[in-house]
Structures are given as C-alpha cells and as structure tokens.
Amino acid sequence: MNTQPSLEDAPRVLAIDWSGAKSGARRKIWLAEARNGELVRLENGRNRGEVAEHLLDELERDPRLLVGLDFAFSLPAWFLRDHELTTATELWQLADREAEAWLEHCEPPFWGRPGRTKPELPSHFRRTDAAVRPVGGIRPKSPFQIGGAGAVGTGSLRGMPILQRLSDAGYRVWPFDRAEPPAVVEIYPRLLTDAVVKSSPKARANYIDARFPELSLRHRSLAASSEDALDAAVSALVLSREAAAVTALDAATDPVELLEGRIWCPDSRYAAGSVEVDRFEAEEEIGPFPGLLAALQFAAERHRDQRRKGREASPYINHPIAVARLLAEVGAVSDPVLLQAAILHDTVEDTETTLDELEARFGQEVRRVVEEVTDDKTLPKLERKQLQIEHAPQRSNRAKQLKVADKSSNLLDIAHRPPKNWTPERKQEYFDWAERVVEGCRGVNPALEARFDEVLSEARESVADS
C-alpha cells in the first residue's frame, strides 16, 4: 500500500539552516524548499526577521506547509521550572523580553563567551539532546552555550521569539502541538546529513552527487557551496521524503517533552531505549578521552627526542598538549577530531610520521585537519610563512581554530620562554606574522580569537619592557 501523499496533497517543505549571528545572517541563513522529495528552491539573503516575514507570507499563500528550523525550541525543563514557566510558549515570551540581555551578560546558566567558563548546572542538556545518536562522534551542544565552537544557544535564544510569532499566526509547533500542516518542527541537520565532512568543499560535492544524483546541476552546485547550504538542502529533502510520517505526529503528552520539545528525525537516529541526561552528560565529558589518549601516546613517542627552542628546552610534547588545552578550555571545543588533530598537528611536519599513517590510526577526518596545518618543508622558510597567510582564509573551521590555538601557544612561549639569541626585533617579526595568519582564521571561535588578542598584547608588552 502506498502511504505517500499525492502530489496535490503533499505539503511544501521549507527547511531553514538558522544563524544567531549578530552580523552576516543574510549570508549564513539558507532556506531550502522541497516537494514530493524534490528540491525546488535553495537560497540565502534574508536575516532572521525577514525569514519570519517570509514564513508568514508563505502561510497566507498556501497553508500546506511543513517547516524545519535548526535551533533548540526550548531549554532544559529545570530552567523553565526555576522561572515558574509552565509551557514552552511562556519561555518564548520570556526570551522575547530577555534574550538579548542574557546574551550580552552571559551569566550562568549561559556560558562560552571570553572568561565565561562552563558552570555547574542541574543539567546542560534537554532529554531530546541525549536521546539522539552521535554522528561521526558529534552530538548536540548545550542550548546554554552561547559562545565557542559549535555554540547553538545564541541562535536558539534569538529564534524562540520567532516561534511565538509563527504560533500566533497559525503554525502548529511540534511537539507542543500536533504536526498537521501548517507545522514547524525542530531539526538537527547533522542527524539528516550523516557523517559527511562538511568543512571540505570536495567532500560536500561528492556527498551531494552520491546521495542526491537527481538534483539539477544548479542545485548541486548551490548545496555544495557551503556547510549552511548543504544543511538546508539535505534537511528539506529528508523532511519532504518523510512528510507523511511527520505530519501524522500527535502532540506530546509527556510532561518533560511538553516543556523541552523534541528534535525531529527518523526514528533510526534515536538511540535504542531511554537515555538518561546525567549519563549523557558524563559521556559528553569523557567521550573524546580514548581517542585523545591514543593520540597523546602516539605524539609523545614521535616527539620523544625533541625539545622546544626556548631557554628551558622543555619536552616538545608540552606544546601540542598546550594547544589542545587552549581549544578545550578557552574555545569550549569538545570535537574529538579537532582535539586529536591538535595533539598530532606537528607529527608529520617535524617527525617521520606520514599522513597515511595518521589516517590508518586515527581516521580520515583527523588526517585532513593535520594535513591542512602542515607546511611543505621542501619549500624555503619565507615562502612557507607567506603561504600560511595566503591559505588561512581557505582552511576548514577546524583547521582555523587549530591555527589560532597553535599561534597563541607559540606567542606565550616566545613571551615567557623565548628561544636563545632571539632579538626583540625577531620576536616582533614573529608577532606580526602570527597576527596576519590569525586574521585569516577569524569568525569561527570568538573566545579563542579573543584569547589570541590578549596573548598578542601580552607578548608585545613583554618585548617592550625587556
């Protein structure tokens, strides 16, 4: 029996890859439209308010709409209860009044901005965040994280007032309402795209060609043009192909789900059985450890006879450890691929290790990041340094963060443990060069970039005072 709706009955699906960025939203927010499993529109150019207006206009034109929005529709239940909120709608109204102040001050439970470390909380996650399966080691981030790599809190807080407008206009917001069109559901695109390396243009293009070969050349090119475009396009296509099941979903009856919401994805993406949030948070804390320990042991063995250039001649392994700590503690990075790459980032350039060896031991994604930050030692030193400046803007987000942390660590060493015989002029030359490299890496991890700026200022002062 065919359960797919007819062409006339099938809802139009709009998937929006969201952004909470204060500037540049028109470039980052992508909207994709699909119908009967076919992509019919893929575009950017709207800010958050304009997206909301467009969804309201589309509702008037044709109410047979299913909309997927890429942000958390609520916060952990304890937050609502502490604020005496009995429904998610009341949270959206509170966010309309208070979200910008929460973002400006970044007081607990919010965190991630420079100087705002992760606080102790009853829970950092909603139950739905814990329930979905990790994809390529990546899991949903805490909606309280409003700074650092992968932060989702800013977009969520700025999206909640939009939900209130859509609800007031007649959209049903699942799971607080049933998902009969016109309906809005929360999506987490990583669950729908699977483990594609989104930072790689080539990987995006290969993925689109392999999974959606029926797309037009124009749509294939657009979908592969950026991570945001890919997320919107794939989310719309998956939602459209699952539309019959989605639009048949009832409203939640579970009291926690009625407060926290639920990420929509095919059932196979949810972990089997129930997952307790406290166990998920424990796993979130220790998740990267096995891979990190293996990377640390490997790097320690490869760098065992090497020393840093400073007067103290400290063991070289101290440097990659310091880089990984900057990523984790300052940049709030929990991505195991990036942290392993940080530990391993000098093994190819400074030891006999090969990229193929890294891939065999730690996987293709780790190899790619290390490869991006490895200089070609067959080139003259001045040419290598110039290429770092020129290539920085084209590097993946992972590689950019690693570069910023690496340069920050080097600046600290030069300021406090400088190499023998380095004159003040040579130090300043290094500072100027590092600043130019990092300039091409900005816009990915504000906390990490702010730390670099602090370290650079400290390093320049140390030379001026010497």
Side-chain angles (χ1 to χ4, degrees):
M1 180 179 173
N2 183 9
T3 58
Q4 288 295 321
S6 67
L7 180 62
E8 292 77 14
D9 294 335
R12 289 191 302 130
V13 170
L14 302 178
I16 291 99
D17 191 71
W18 194 249
S19 172
K22 204 164 189 177
S23 62
R26 287 190 174 90
R27 174 176 53 85
K28 297 174 182 177
I29 295 175
W30 279 79
L31 180 149
E33 179 178 351
R35 183 141 187 213
N36 263 23
E38 295 183 4
L39 192 65
V40 298
R41 181 162 54 126
L42 181 58
E43 61 195 25
N44 64 351
R46 298 181 180 89
N47 61 27
R48 287 180 294 276
E50 290 165 347
V51 168
E53 290 298 329
H54 183 68
L55 293 178
L56 296 177
D57 291 342
E58 291 291 281
L59 177 63
E60 287 190 11
R61 184 167 74 87
D62 180 3
R64 293 173 300 172
L65 281 171
L66 176 60
V67 178
L69 289 173
D70 170 28
F71 59 81
F73 284 9
S74 187
L75 296 172
W78 69 263
F79 180 91
L80 280 76
R81 294 180 182 126
D82 278 7
H83 286 76
E84 298 182 349
L85 307 174
T86 59
T87 65
T89 300
E90 292 177 5
L91 173 63
W92 304 340
Q93 294 165 354
L94 180 64
D96 193 26
R97 300 190 300 270
E98 303 292 342
E100 292 305 319
W102 293 341
L103 293 169
E104 179 182 355
H105 300 297
C106 195
E107 298 289 347
F110 302 103
W111 62 279
R113 297 282 172 82
R116 301 296 188 181
T117 57
K118 188 176 182 179
E120 291 290 332
L121 299 176
S123 171
H124 280 266
F125 297 91
R126 301 171 298 158
R127 192 170 64 186
T128 189
D129 301 320
V132 296
R133 294 181 185 276
V135 179
I138 299 173
R139 287 169 150 164
K141 298 290 186 181
S142 167
F144 291 127
Q145 184 182 347
I146 60 174
V152 300
T154 302
S156 299
L157 293 177
R158 288 183 169 146
M160 289 176 191
I162 303 292
L163 291 177
Q164 184 63 57
R165 291 184 62 189
L166 298 180
S167 177
D168 289 344
Y171 278 98
R172 299 181 180 91
V173 183
W174 185 82
F176 315 107
D177 309 303
R178 68 186 188 278
E180 178 185 348
V184 181
V185 298
E186 176 184 341
I187 55 174
Y188 176 46
R190 175 61 69 173
L191 290 171
L192 309 179
T193 59
D194 297 319
V196 60
V197 183
K198 297 181 184 179
S199 59
S200 165
K202 183 177 180 181
R204 293 195 300 265
N206 290 341
Y207 169 83
I208 287 292
D209 288 344
R211 188 173 176 190
F212 303 103
E214 73 282 0
L215 292 186
S216 69
L217 181 61
R218 177 175 177 273
H219 282 150
R220 287 207 305 270
S221 177
L222 278 173
S225 66
S226 73
E227 298 179 42
D228 306 315
L230 179 79
D231 282 345
V234 174
S235 297
L237 286 164
V238 174
L239 260 177
S240 182
R241 293 172 184 185
E242 298 279 342
V246 179
T247 56
L249 291 170
D250 288 328
T253 57
D254 179 86
V256 172
E257 204 164 277
L258 283 170
L259 289 177
E260 295 185 339
R262 179 182 173 92
I263 298 168
W264 176 83
C265 64
D267 288 341
S268 61
R269 267 65 165 190
Y270 274 94
S274 61
V275 178
E276 295 298 327
V277 174
D278 56 354
R279 180 163 65 85
F280 169 76
E281 296 202 17
E283 291 172 352
E284 178 78 4
E285 295 294 333
I286 68 171
F289 279 15
L292 278 180
L293 292 175
L296 184 58
Q297 181 179 16
F298 182 90
E301 290 172 352
R302 296 304 165 99
H303 292 301
R304 65 183 180 275
D305 297 324
Q306 296 176 331
R307 297 276 172 170
R308 293 288 278 170
K309 295 179 181 178
R311 296 192 185 102
E312 299 174 0
S314 61
Y316 195 91
I317 191 63
N318 290 0
H319 169 63
I321 291 173
V323 172
R325 287 192 65 186
L326 281 167
L327 287 165
E329 296 177 8
V330 177
V333 171
S334 58
D335 174 8
V337 169
L338 178 51
L339 294 175
Q340 289 175 65
I343 294 293
L344 300 164
H345 78 274
D346 279 334
T347 55
V348 174
E349 187 171 317
D350 294 333
T351 77
E352 297 301 315
T353 305
T354 67
L355 289 167
D356 288 341
E357 187 177 6
L358 284 188
E359 182 173 349
R361 287 174 176 261
F362 302 101
Q364 190 178 63
E365 289 185 273
V366 171
R367 176 210 169 114
R368 285 193 178 114
V369 180
V370 174
E371 186 172 12
E372 286 189 88
V373 300
T374 298
D375 284 351
D376 181 354
K377 283 292 191 74
T378 65
L379 299 175
K381 185 175 181 180
L382 287 178
E383 185 176 348
R384 297 200 308 267
K385 295 182 74 171
Q386 181 60 32
L387 287 174
Q388 282 201 41
I389 296 171
E390 294 175 3
H391 291 165
Q394 285 77 49
R395 295 309 185 201
S396 68
N397 286 348
R398 282 169 168 161
K400 287 179 178 178
Q401 292 175 87
L402 179 46
K403 276 288 185 187
V404 175
D406 182 37
K407 294 296 182 275
S408 298
S409 175
N410 287 338
L411 289 180
L412 284 169
D413 279 350
I414 292 170
H416 300 292
R417 295 171 290 277
K420 294 179 181 179
N421 304 321
W422 270 45
T423 63
E425 291 75 20
R426 186 172 180 184
K427 293 177 185 177
Q428 289 289 6
E429 287 176 3
Y430 184 91
F431 300 158
D432 293 342
W433 170 73
E435 185 176 25
R436 292 182 68 191
V437 174
V438 169
E439 192 60 35
C441 299
R442 292 187 182 273
V444 178
N445 190 322
L448 201 60
E449 294 154 23
R451 178 58 175 154
F452 172 83
D453 294 338
E454 293 171 2
V455 171
L456 178 62
S457 176
E458 179 182 331
R460 292 195 190 282
E461 289 176 5
S462 72
V463 172
D465 295 340
S466 63

